[in-house]
Amino acid sequence: MFRHNPAVPTTVNGQVSHWFDELPASRPVLPGDRDADVCIVGAGYTGLWTAYYLAKADPSLRITVLEARFAGFGASGRNGGWLSGLVPGDRHRMAEAHGRDRVLAWQQALNEAVDEVIAVADREGIDAGAVKGGTLEIARNPAQAVRLAAAIAEERSWGIDVAELTKDEAAERIRFKGVVSAYHTPHCARIQPARLVRGVAEAAERHGVTIYEDTPVTEIASGRAVTARGTVRAPIILRATEGFTSALPGLRRTWLPMNSSMIATDPIPDALWDEIGWQGRETVGDSAHGFFYAQRTVDDRIAIGGRSVPYRFASRTDVDGQVPARTVALLTDVLHSILPQVRDIPIAHGWCGVLGVPRDWQAGVVLDHASGLGWAGGYVGHGVTATNLAGRTLADLVLRRDTPLTELPWVGHRSRNWEPEPLRWLGVRGLYAAYKLADKHEAGGRARTSPIAGVADVITRKPH
């Protein structure tokens, strides 16, 4: 059998993420002052997709991308690899403000963006490891099953294809322990995130985009992006900094850098995969308040993530993805609780990253033509697909094209700031402690959602 103690110190900690089997060679730094037609700050999915579509639409544009470290250093190179149609916001609140039809169009555009990313990858020769196996959502106790049933009805009300599964039907896909009920939706593909972001960067460069790395931007203002290495002047300056936005002057309270952590196992032998199943490469999540998200990776590992330490005081971010040992232990326990078959498989890597969370949990795409300043982000962890839609939308806005994308309800959306410290630290940490306690109560056999979680949901205004 596969004997191993996962607590022994062989797990790689940080080093950005497991998705980078080796860190990429650096592109040139900004060599001094430069002029451009469009300057984009941040070489993650949002910035790179925007640059790619702009360059494709107008090859004459001089497009410069400035990146503090290297393309994909942030959430784009550390996420769970869910290329999904999940909405980065609350559909009901958006419908109240903009009408149900516009929100339905937004949801449909996100579903279609899954296929758009796969199509671009095929066209540009990007090996992103995409397999469109959909998402399997599981419930593991009665309270979770009640929420899962409500989620099925909710998704169907927004036109989402959802297949309700019994525990036996779920086991035909993946043999998880303790599943009570489940559903499957087709609007998701498993990807290898770093391969995608590096591929989009290279594709953008082939279409004429210039990317400068190791060039942190210290100030964004109308007409200029300032760095220690020089200033890029352009009539259009776009911010695509997601969880690192709080480091920029005047933006500390704009979006909360919420922390999410992951682990990846060693490669799992074929014989053990025969026991587990997972042949469809579905992405997987559960209905707990402190939910997990997982995938079977391109190289036949299991990568699984969750919240652990959700927020660092004063909006601080991690150091190159390093995680506390207790986080690796916690996620390992979650993995072993759902798949005890892999208890003897070593944990190869643990890492973390930050995602951008607006105060109303609602992403936005904005361009003010008067100042030339624009941005997109605040994806609340649902950005792998949404960034592609946002990039296409920003490109249309820059080019002053009226399209169905520029009519979507997140265009022009602005959120109020988060509370000052220590209020936001106390609030976030307290709320996630409440969710943890609620999960503990429900694991004891409660028939319905813990009232503790209900109070926390009201306070956070988290979408469902």
Side-chain angles (χ1 to χ4, degrees):
M1 295 297 291
F2 309 99
R3 299 296 178 192
H4 178 77
N5 178 3
V8 299
T10 57
T11 302
V12 175
N13 188 348
Q15 296 183 19
V16 185
S17 80
H18 176 73
W19 306 122
F20 291 98
D21 40 20
E22 61 180 30
L23 296 185
S26 293
R27 291 178 170 85
V29 301
L30 179 68
D33 293 349
R34 288 290 185 275
D35 292 326
D37 297 310
V38 179
C39 177
I40 299 170
V41 180
Y45 290 143
T46 299
L48 294 171
W49 280 125
T50 304
Y52 173 81
Y53 285 108
L54 276 171
K56 288 272 290 180
D58 186 350
S60 71
L61 286 175
R62 298 170 300 163
I63 304 167
T64 296
V65 179
L66 302 176
E67 167 55 41
R69 292 290 295 276
F70 58 82
F73 172 78
S76 299
R78 308 190 202 185
N79 63 80
W82 285 39
L83 182 65
S84 77
L86 290 169
V87 171
D90 188 310
R91 290 173 296 204
H92 291 283
R93 288 207 296 266
M94 293 298 280
E96 289 174 3
H98 302 283
R100 180 176 173 83
D101 287 347
R102 290 181 68 187
V103 179
L104 284 167
W106 186 34
Q107 178 66 79
Q108 183 62 33
L110 286 163
N111 293 345
E112 292 169 354
V114 175
D115 294 323
E116 167 69 8
V117 172
I118 295 171
V120 173
D122 288 343
R123 187 166 64 242
E124 297 289 351
I126 301 169
D127 180 12
V131 178
K132 194 178 180 184
T135 294
L136 181 68
E137 187 83 5
I138 63 172
R140 302 182 63 228
N141 60 49
Q144 289 184 23
V146 169
R147 287 197 296 279
L148 189 97
I152 291 171
E154 170 72 9
E155 293 303 290
R156 287 174 174 168
S157 76
W158 292 102
I160 307 298
D161 301 326
V162 178
E164 189 171 0
L165 306 177
T166 66
K167 63 181 181 180
D168 290 336
E169 290 169 333
E172 291 175 6
R173 293 176 177 271
I174 309 170
R175 296 177 190 94
F176 288 124
K177 179 182 178 182
V179 171
V180 176
S181 61
Y183 76 68
H184 178 266
T185 178
H187 302 295
C188 188
R190 183 282 315 269
I191 63 163
Q192 209 280 21
R195 289 189 191 176
L196 177 61
V197 72
R198 293 171 72 171
V200 176
E202 291 164 2
E205 288 177 314
R206 287 194 297 272
H207 290 286
V209 174
T210 301
I211 303 172
Y212 295 113
E213 296 183 333
D214 293 317
T215 305
V217 170
T218 56
E219 179 190 357
I220 295 174
S222 181
R224 68 183 187 276
V226 180
T227 83
R229 303 182 184 279
T231 296
V232 176
R233 300 188 181 279
I236 300 290
I237 308 287
L238 304 177
R239 170 169 53 83
T241 47
E242 194 58 3
F244 294 97
T245 298
S246 60
L248 290 166
L251 299 176
R252 183 172 293 276
R253 292 166 52 198
T254 300
W255 293 333
L256 196 82
M258 190 75 76
N259 188 65
S260 196
S261 304
M262 295 198 74
I263 59 171
T265 67
D266 271 0
I268 294 173
D270 290 343
L272 195 48
W273 280 120
D274 290 341
E275 293 182 29
I276 295 168
W278 216 332
Q279 301 305 313
R281 272 63 175 180
E282 303 92 337
T283 57
V284 180
D286 75 338
S287 301
H289 303 291
F291 58 87
F292 75 81
Y293 50 94
Q295 67 151 280
R296 177 176 175 175
T297 69
V298 172
D299 53 354
D300 283 329
R301 306 168 190 263
I302 294 173
I304 184 169
R307 285 291 181 263
S308 187
V309 180
Y311 174 70
R312 294 176 169 88
F313 187 82
S315 296
R316 290 181 292 113
T317 55
D318 59 86
V319 179
D320 289 3
Q322 292 179 13
V323 291
R326 68 181 183 277
T327 295
V328 175
L330 182 150
L331 290 173
T332 302
D333 287 346
V334 171
L335 174 61
H336 292 170
S337 72
I338 58 172
L339 284 174
Q341 305 96 312
V342 302
R343 280 190 177 276
D344 295 316
I345 300 295
I347 303 300
H349 205 143
W351 71 96
C352 68
V354 292
L355 48 109
V357 179
R359 186 63 182 87
D360 60 359
W361 296 76
Q362 176 65 55
V365 180
V366 174
L367 177 59
D368 174 23
H369 277 288
S371 65
L373 296 176
W375 51 263
Y379 304 112
V380 298
H382 298 334
V384 180
T385 304
T387 49
N388 174 272
L389 183 60
R392 285 184 280 141
T393 304
L394 270 178
D396 284 345
L397 292 170
V398 169
L399 298 171
R400 296 178 180 268
R401 299 193 301 199
D402 293 326
T403 69
L405 299 188
T406 62
E407 295 298 316
L408 294 176
W410 65 343
V411 175
H413 180 79
R414 300 173 187 266
S415 308
R416 70 178 178 89
N417 282 347
W418 282 87
E419 291 76 5
E421 294 292 23
L423 295 178
R424 66 178 180 273
W425 184 86
L426 290 170
V428 174
R429 296 297 288 264
L431 288 165
Y432 274 86
Y435 286 132
K436 184 176 181 180
L437 182 59
D439 279 331
K440 184 176 180 180
H441 284 175
E442 293 174 9
R446 286 186 60 89
R448 296 195 173 273
T449 294
S450 167
I452 298 172
V455 172
D457 286 345
V458 170
I459 295 172
T460 58
R461 300 192 74 207
K462 277 183 63 177
H464 293 279

